[in-house]
Amino acid sequence: MTKLNKALMATTAIAFASGLALPAVAQDPSAAPGVVKSSNKMKLRLYGQITHGFGVINDGDSSTFMQHNNGNTSTRMGIDGRGKITKDVSLRTRVEYQITDGDSNQVNGGQSDEGALVIRHLDAIFSHKRLGAVWIGRGDTAGNGTSEKNLLPGGSAGRLGGSTAGLLGDAVVLGKNSDTVQPAEIDTLGRFFSSFDGASRRQRIRYDTPTIAGFKVGGSAIDAQSWDVAMHYKGAFGGMKIAAGAAFTHFAGNLGRSATVQDFNQLNGSISVLTPFGLGATMSGGKQWLDYFSGVPDTVKRTPYNIQPAIFYTGKWTELGPTGIEYAYQFSNEISAKNDEGQGHSVMLTQVLANTGTDTFATFRYYDVKRDGEDPENIWYFGAGFRARF
């Protein structure tokens, strides 16, 4: 052994021993090399987004400044793993969770230091180049997203619709226009609006066909004899971009409401078209057929429905990225109870910051709701928000 090799070995041993003897030095984990490391076979990728909304809301009695979680698209983080089983078969694993900051979305709410984590995806996805994909675990059902096709750049971050009136989430509606409604009787906008977007995310086994000529068909087997089938399309025709989707869902079991749902059938879909001139239009809607048994001899049946048309214009007028402006209208009927009715209007300006993957928007909203014959004060909101993706 040469003198040089002996010197190197001695230096390495001294450094190793010193490392064992010295206490660890605290450091920022994000600055440490190798914090995220793929295996030799499965490659990992971290991804996520941070969202936030803020503005002034008027509930018919007073105006107040509010900050809130974005009801359309949540702050989230995920880990995506991908690898090859054979030349034609691949495996993808996905863990994604939603992060809530604990702040109330209600007009009379306050801020809190408490938050929560909600699992969105816990998936294993087996894909074959010619035979399609099988999804096992918790995640999107085949019909999730079929009511949300939208070709407005950045528009999904601030769209009008959603099961909780979109952006505002749980903004409070107070019944002030009726002598019979007590001040303590409050409701959220979520009672009056829904996009009926398939079966959302659930435990399921799902199959998707390969995409053929822009079309993809799928189906999900969900717990409690529930299932859905869906079709998605994305393509171009005559210079126009088109995105569309449709789904049929059968849900058997309890929907989490006070009554037990014996039968739940739903049909929903959407289509969005963008012309070469930047002018576009979107239409979404859905209908449910519900049978309720409320614990008394009477059976209450409802057929709630929702329609939401929108027109928009988009172009790239600055170096920042695409800019768009949209007007949207939404009408929902009997979403949570008989004789409920909700109407919403939205004007929204969107700006994509292309270099950072960020969507920003400013919007004015106006909501007119009716509750079982009562007419609460209308709500207006002027605000802005963002979705910063990484």
Side-chain angles (χ1 to χ4, degrees):
M1 181 179 292
T2 66
K3 292 182 178 180
L4 177 60
N5 286 339
K6 290 180 179 179
L8 289 174
M9 291 180 64
T11 302
T12 302
I14 292 172
F16 180 74
S18 299
L20 292 177
L22 294 175
V25 178
Q27 64 177 354
D28 181 359
S30 64
V35 171
V36 178
K37 182 177 177 60
S38 300
S39 69
N40 293 332
K41 302 299 182 181
M42 291 287 287
K43 303 302 180 184
L44 294 184
R45 178 178 67 92
L46 287 178
Y47 68 94
Q49 63 184 35
I50 296 175
T51 70
H52 196 66
F54 53 90
V56 176
I57 189 167
N58 182 285
D59 62 2
D61 182 49
S62 62
S63 297
T64 184
F65 176 73
M66 64 181 293
Q67 300 190 62
H68 54 86
N69 298 315
N70 190 325
N72 282 328
T73 178
S74 59
T75 295
R76 64 190 65 158
M77 187 169 180
I79 304 172
D80 192 310
R82 304 194 184 206
K84 286 280 190 179
I85 297 176
T86 68
K87 182 176 67 174
D88 294 330
V89 181
S90 61
L91 170 63
R92 178 187 179 192
T93 59
R94 185 180 184 186
V95 178
E96 181 181 303
Y97 51 90
Q98 172 180 313
I99 306 167
T100 60
D101 57 16
D103 293 351
S104 172
N105 289 350
Q106 297 183 355
V107 175
N108 61 347
Q111 296 191 14
S112 168
D113 292 331
E114 297 182 1
L117 299 181
V118 177
I119 296 296
R120 290 170 53 86
H121 295 273
L122 201 58
D123 266 337
I125 307 159
F126 298 86
S127 301
H128 191 281
K129 289 183 177 179
R130 296 182 301 275
L131 300 180
V134 175
W135 311 56
I136 303 174
R138 177 176 176 81
D140 294 329
T141 58
N144 196 24
T146 50
S147 284
E148 298 179 340
K149 305 300 181 182
N150 189 350
L151 292 175
L152 173 66
S156 60
R159 65 182 184 271
L160 175 63
S163 59
T164 54
L167 172 69
L168 293 183
D170 296 326
V172 169
V173 177
L174 297 177
K176 293 189 175 69
N177 279 359
S178 171
D179 295 334
T180 61
V181 176
Q182 301 301 314
E185 293 180 302
I186 61 175
D187 286 308
T188 67
L189 285 176
R191 167 172 173 156
F192 302 94
F193 296 95
S194 177
S195 64
F196 296 142
D197 188 28
S200 188
R201 290 176 302 277
R202 299 183 183 274
Q203 298 280 359
R204 84 288 186 248
I205 297 177
R206 167 182 165 184
Y207 168 74
D208 286 347
T209 67
T211 300
I212 301 175
F215 289 92
K216 180 173 67 175
V217 178
S220 309
I222 310 169
D223 291 343
Q225 295 80 49
S226 303
W227 52 270
D228 73 347
V229 291
M231 180 275 296
H232 298 260
Y233 173 78
K234 187 175 182 180
F237 178 78
M240 296 188 300
K241 295 181 180 179
I242 302 173
F248 179 84
T249 304
H250 174 72
F251 200 110
N254 193 303
L255 287 180
R257 299 188 176 96
S258 58
T260 299
V261 177
Q262 302 296 326
D263 188 60
F264 171 108
N265 289 312
Q266 175 179 286
L267 182 65
N268 71 282
S270 62
I271 182 170
S272 188
V273 179
L274 177 61
T275 69
F277 315 105
L279 186 65
T282 301
M283 172 66 79
S284 68
K287 186 172 184 178
Q288 295 177 337
W289 292 263
L290 300 178
D291 288 340
Y292 277 78
F293 178 74
S294 60
V296 296
D298 295 330
T299 298
V300 181
K301 294 186 178 182
R302 291 188 290 110
T303 54
Y305 64 90
N306 165 78
I307 58 172
Q308 183 175 320
I311 56 173
F312 62 88
Y313 183 75
T314 182
K316 191 174 182 181
W317 305 320
T318 71
E319 296 181 355
L320 296 175
T323 306
I325 185 168
E326 179 192 59
Y327 166 74
Y329 169 78
Q330 184 175 17
F331 178 84
S332 293
N333 188 62
E334 297 190 343
I335 300 302
S336 293
K338 276 281 189 181
N339 303 317
D340 275 5
E341 180 181 297
Q343 296 186 65
H345 301 264
S346 166
V347 178
M348 181 173 64
L349 177 68
T350 65
Q351 178 63 60
V352 176
L353 308 180
N355 287 339
T356 59
T358 301
D359 304 323
T360 63
F361 62 89
T363 183
F364 177 79
R365 308 291 170 93
Y366 181 81
Y367 296 97
D368 180 7
V369 300
K370 293 179 174 59
R371 173 183 53 198
D372 195 18
E374 305 297 340
D375 189 10
E377 292 281 4
N378 299 331
I379 285 178
W380 62 259
Y381 170 86
F382 180 75
F386 66 89
R387 171 178 57 186
R389 292 172 286 186
F390 59 87

